[in-house]
Amino acid sequence: MAWLCIVLFGLGAAVFVRLLFRPHILTLDDEGFTVSGGLIRAAKKTPWRDVEGFFVYRLPKAGKMVGYNLAPGIRNETALAKIGRSLGADRALPRGWAMSAEKVAETLNAYRARALAK
């Protein structure tokens, strides 16, 4: 039992150190947004046209998160995607931004609207 505790603590410490030196970065441009850093291996750009909108939702016992739903033609119909949708969103942004979840969703929606209007 002690070894299990040591291994779990070690894994938690490794994740903490990685997040400390490689924080999440949200990059916005006219084509879409990119989330990189943290535990994300390769940054992936999501086009604005693939997103229906951003909103704040609560996970049970996990606090507020910024979620977004994908356009119907873009959604994956996998079992994992269905579980995510049942929790309230197709995808979510990681937590830990300097702004509140409400302000992040508001900023992303405003940026998306400006980008799609061009």
Side-chain angles (χ1 to χ4, degrees), residues 96-107:
W97 307 108
M99 297 185 286
S100 68
E102 290 84 0
K103 186 67 176 166
V104 171
E106 179 183 322
T107 302

Side-chain angles (χ1 to χ4, degrees), residues 23-27 34-36 66 93-101 104:
H24 286 110
I25 298 170
L26 179 62
T27 307
T34 306
V35 178
S36 59
V66 176
L93 297 178
R95 295 189 305 183
W97 307 108
M99 297 185 286
S100 68
V104 171

Side-chain angles (χ1 to χ4, degrees), residues 26-99:
L26 179 62
T27 307
L28 310 176
D29 61 27
D30 289 341
E31 288 85 37
F33 68 95
T34 306
V35 178
S36 59
L39 300 177
I40 300 170
R41 284 186 179 185
K44 182 182 177 216
K45 182 174 237 170
T46 303
W48 295 119
R49 67 182 177 282
D50 292 355
V51 177
E52 289 182 341
F54 298 89
F55 53 90
V56 177
Y57 74 102
R58 273 187 151 349
L59 285 174
K61 299 182 182 181
K64 296 179 185 177
M65 293 186 76
V66 176
Y68 59 97
N69 289 324
L70 298 172
I74 306 301
R75 289 182 178 154
N76 293 333
E77 295 302 324
T78 63
L80 190 57
K82 289 178 183 178
I83 291 170
R85 252 182 260 123
S86 72
L87 293 174
D90 287 336
R91 295 192 182 154
L93 297 178
R95 295 189 305 183
W97 307 108
M99 297 185 286

